[in-house]
Amino acid sequence: MTAGLSVVGLSHSFGDHPVVCDLSLDVAPGEIVSLLGPSGCGKTTTLRLVAGLEIVQRGDIRLDGELVAGRGVHVEPERRGVGLVFQDFALFPHLTVAENVAFGLRQARDVARRRAIELLERVGLADRAGHYPHHLSGGEQQRVALVRALAPAPRLMLMDEPFSGLDVRLRDQVREDTAALLAATGTATLLVTHDPEEAMRIADRIAVMRNGRIVQVGSPATLYDSPADASVARFFSETNSLRSRAGAGAAPTPWGPLPVSAAIAEGTAVDILVRPEALSIGPVGKGVTAVVSTVRPLGGTRLIRLRIEGMQEPWLARVPARVDVSPGEAVAVALDHAHVHVFAATEASLPR
Ligand code: ATP
């Protein structure tokens, strides 16, 4: 028996529009896996299928080894042992905070209330137990929604954009508290987001979806440092790109030849993607010559737009704030090969 969630070969269409295509994914107890992808790629549909809010057309869904959907089986959502948290929190406005948390507990009232207070203590909200949701801030309401979903000790937590209703500063704190509580309770969690930074901050593993399919699964570092294709690379940060042609194991660039994977045949057109932090700037002479177009201070770093000799498109460099350059200044640009990715060119990966 595999503990946690196991999804195998899940496919789903609305009419003749395929939305989820042969999707397989596991989430272990205590693990947070993020389904990440652009709007409309099928993330929410996948989550709804796992929750039991849609009937599975093809594929199997197992929770702690038990088949809950597929092969003619459909266990009702309330019998799956899953907790749900959505963007809008969906607290009952006429119930107090403690009553909201205790709502789904099939226990004697005083036992349920004690469990609710104990969970509220863990998120620092025990003193708000008797308040109504509209007395709480957005961050507090999100914490109540989280502990309400955790109260029945679900086998799996399903979260759909749970932090997007919060303002930026609050979001970071609530996200960290949420991750800590999920880890402490050992809950398997599948979290949907379209925000790569959010996925990198909270997830142990990220599954990147595109057009209903998972294109890559791995740790945040793996996806950032070893993206499977150009669109995954571009999804995680702004990138500069350069078209070249593979020679024997290398492709020419203004910085000299860059290594190319043996899987890319000689003569193939390649797109070379360079993250802005791969570029460094120094005095003219030590690298490729460029002229600074704009300088944008971003606190600890500066984003510098450059006109690089021999390139048509402007390039972006993200450099430490102490690098002091001004628009119009001539500089030399060096390249750190560790943040460069080379892919066979496809229509979808044409330079933007
Ligand atoms: P978003 O981040 O915008 O919510 P998503 O990746 O979660 O996007 P889904 O909500 O799963 O994507 O939707 C995938 C596709 O399925 C979209 O084209 C959507 O319009 C369509 N779709 C979703 N639900 C239904 C439905 N009940 N009936 C018909 N089409 C639907």
Side-chain angles (χ1 to χ4, degrees):
M1 183 193 91
T2 316
L5 170 69
S6 164
V7 175
V8 178
L10 192 66
S11 294
H12 201 79
S13 302
F14 290 111
D16 57 4
H17 176 38
V19 169
V20 178
C21 310
D22 196 21
L23 183 145
S24 298
L25 185 68
D26 292 335
V27 185
E31 186 183 36
I32 301 178
V33 174
S34 174
L35 266 186
L36 171 70
S39 182
C41 72
K43 308 179 296 289
T44 296
T45 304
T46 304
L47 208 73
R48 289 175 57 81
L49 286 161
V50 173
L53 301 170
E54 298 280 348
I55 307 276
V56 164
Q57 296 166 350
R58 193 192 288 175
D60 298 343
I61 299 174
R62 288 188 165 75
L63 280 171
D64 292 343
E66 179 200 350
L67 184 70
V68 294
R71 302 169 191 246
V73 171
H74 177 77
V75 175
E76 291 301 322
E78 59 277 14
R79 301 198 171 278
R80 289 196 183 185
V82 298
L84 300 171
V85 179
F86 296 109
Q87 179 181 346
D88 61 4
F89 316 140
L91 298 176
F92 302 116
H94 61 293
L95 299 183
T96 65
V97 165
E99 287 164 351
N100 261 283
V101 177
F103 183 79
L105 297 176
R106 295 192 192 98
Q107 292 164 324
R109 237 178 121 173
D110 57 330
V111 178
R113 188 176 161 81
R114 265 205 306 279
R115 166 96 175 131
I117 302 290
E118 178 197 305
L119 279 165
L120 286 167
E121 266 165 15
R122 295 177 78 158
V123 290
L125 286 176
D127 59 337
R128 314 304 291 273
H131 290 220
Y132 286 88
H134 66 273
H135 293 141
L136 271 53
S137 71
E140 289 166 343
Q141 289 186 33
Q142 204 280 353
R143 288 188 177 103
V144 175
L146 175 71
V147 293
R148 181 180 64 177
L150 276 173
R155 299 194 273 194
L156 175 71
M157 278 290 272
L158 298 174
M159 309 180 90
D160 195 348
E161 305 275 2
F163 311 112
S164 52
L166 304 175
D167 73 57
V168 177
R169 255 181 297 164
L170 195 58
R171 197 181 300 167
D172 292 345
Q173 186 59 48
V174 175
R175 199 162 35 207
E176 273 178 33
D177 295 347
T178 301
L181 187 58
L182 291 169
T185 52
T187 312
T189 302
L190 186 60
L191 180 144
V192 159
T193 180
H194 66 278
D195 177 356
E197 185 175 330
E198 173 148 302
M200 293 184 83
R201 277 173 176 256
I202 195 168
D204 299 303
R205 285 188 302 139
I206 299 173
V208 179
M209 273 187 89
R210 192 166 61 221
N211 299 331
R213 295 178 188 279
I214 292 181
V215 287
Q216 191 173 7
V217 188
S219 69
T222 302
L223 294 196
Y224 194 83
D225 296 334
S226 311
D229 62 27
S231 92
V232 174
R234 288 195 169 116
F235 201 63
F236 282 89
S237 81
E238 279 185 295
T239 53
N240 302 293
S241 49
L242 169 68
R243 179 58 64 86
S244 182
R245 195 165 290 282
T253 76
W255 291 274
L258 281 183
V260 171
S261 135
I264 298 177
E266 205 174 325
T268 307
V270 291
D271 283 328
I272 298 172
L273 267 55
V274 177
R275 298 212 188 272
E277 64 268 28
L279 299 176
S280 55
I281 288 178
V284 175
K286 286 190 198 153
V288 176
T289 306
V291 174
V292 174
S293 309
T294 58
V295 179
R296 185 159 293 277
L298 298 176
T301 59
R302 287 178 167 204
L303 206 54
I304 301 192
R305 195 171 288 275
L306 298 157
R307 288 258 161 223
I308 297 182
E309 205 170 53
M311 308 254 197
Q312 286 185 344
E313 298 286 323
W315 274 41
L316 279 178
R318 186 185 281 271
V319 298
R322 67 184 140 71
V323 176
D324 190 16
V325 289
S326 311
E329 197 174 328
V331 292
V333 179
L335 181 67
D336 171 3
H337 291 197
H339 295 288
V340 175
H341 308 288
V342 184
F343 301 104
T346 62
E347 279 308 308
S349 65
L350 288 173
R352 281 183 294 195

